[in-house]
Amino acid sequence: MGIEHSEYRKRRQQIMEKVGSGTAIFRSAPMAVMHNDVEYAYRQDSSFYYLTGFNEPEAVAVFAPHHEEHQYILFVQPKDPEKETWTGYRCGVEAAKEIYGADEAYPINELNEKLPQYLINADRIYYHLGSDRHFNDVVLSHWQSTLRRYQKFGKAPLALEDSRQLIFPMRLVKSPTEIAMMRKATKISAMAHNRAREFTRPGVYEYQIQAEIEHIFRKEGGIGIAYPSIVASGANACVLHYIENNRQVEENDLVLIDAGCSYDYYNGDITRTFPASGKFTPEQKAIYEIVLEAQLKAIEEVQPGKPYNEFHDMAVCVIVQGLLDLGLLKGDLEEIIKEEKYKPFYMHRTGHWLGLDVHDVGTYKHNEETWQSLQPGHILTVEPGIYISPHIKPAEGQPEISDRWKGIGVRIEDDLLVTATGHDILTADVPKSVADMET
Ligand code: GLY
Ligand code: MN
Ligand code: MN
């Protein structure tokens, strides 16, 4: 299973239409250093991968639809048997054409010499100024040189535009093959969560639970974690990005696990929270029930045509009502929401796009007032939570929190595909009812 070359070709045709009389430049991700001369496993830039399927560093893809001879050009590391002995296989210039479909390919060290021919007749350059400062400078200096031609020839790429406008809308709507990849990533993620719940009991360490989860990710063919796994017992669950995972789980703890697997760069992102002992305390259960209701009601709002904000607004409404009922908030529901007085308990949004990036690309709004509306092929998370940190500071005028509530953190997160008629919960294999969490 994987994305076929024909699909990459289709994506390139689509982007060529948008690039029109311009030229677009996409850069591969850099190698990241772990320490000294040891590098992390390579992770390609998602947009670069989406357009090329090419998984090596030190590469540049150029789209120049107006060029007479070559419309898709790849710059890649040349083959070098001696270097490959140390750092692994390189596809090389010939395969960049034969396998990856480039009309022309060059060794990356010829970029400065070969790139200008693809820029001089373009009316604009599309490029995302990213964190690779060195390559930003390369693009800017080529743009500058090309602009010098304007006075003499009356023609040059006068604008530099961000390439995100080309690629975001494409990546936001997943193709049938991408959906299949997401089903695989979420299926493995779900298996790992089920194993983690079965394995967890008071006395185990958070890292042992993490090991069970990540063992399944690799064993089932995933390339690894989609993001650092969060295994947060007790009050650690109130730290949203807790990744130390070094505490021993205690008898009355809730355990919050937020972990997802990456499958050929497509990502799952699931959170479940359950009692280590198999039995909620009354306070834990009360909070859990609110979060579960918030999540179920928010999921109902995930429908084609609905504005993106509605599922979040629904989750906030249920959470605030639940906290009012428990006396943890007081006052008028609408006022609390308007003045965001619930934020000490619920400080993040209820979801995000999901795909090749865990926080995937795509705009959430069309403009200041108008939200993006959900469409078939969108994939997003729905992940409300309540966090009552030991250090919680209630909003002005709100009640102090009694110690019996402190240290409870609950989040429930599923991954949803928007369909023509509603939604499909890709992570439905992981139970979440109170009864299931207590077995
Ligand atoms: N695990 C990252 C997130 O839920 O957004
Ligand atoms: Mn998550
Ligand atoms: Mn998430």
Side-chain angles (χ1 to χ4, degrees), residues 227-228 230 241 258-259 269 271 352 358-359 381 383 411 413:
Y227 51 89
I230 297 168
H241 289 167
D258 183 348
D269 182 6
T271 307
H352 50 84
V358 173
H359 294 167
T381 68
E383 49 176 309
R411 176 165 66 256
E413 174 175 30

Side-chain angles (χ1 to χ4, degrees), residues 52-71:
T52 64
F54 190 73
N55 200 17
E56 292 182 27
E58 292 303 316
V60 173
V62 177
F63 299 94
H66 60 276
H67 193 271
E68 283 183 2
E69 276 182 281
H70 318 128
Q71 287 75 49

Side-chain angles (χ1 to χ4, degrees), residues 145-160:
S145 311
T146 324
L147 278 173
R148 288 198 199 103
R149 300 169 52 90
Y150 182 60
Q151 190 165 24
K152 200 162 165 194
F153 300 105
K155 192 167 190 294
L158 290 179
L160 180 73

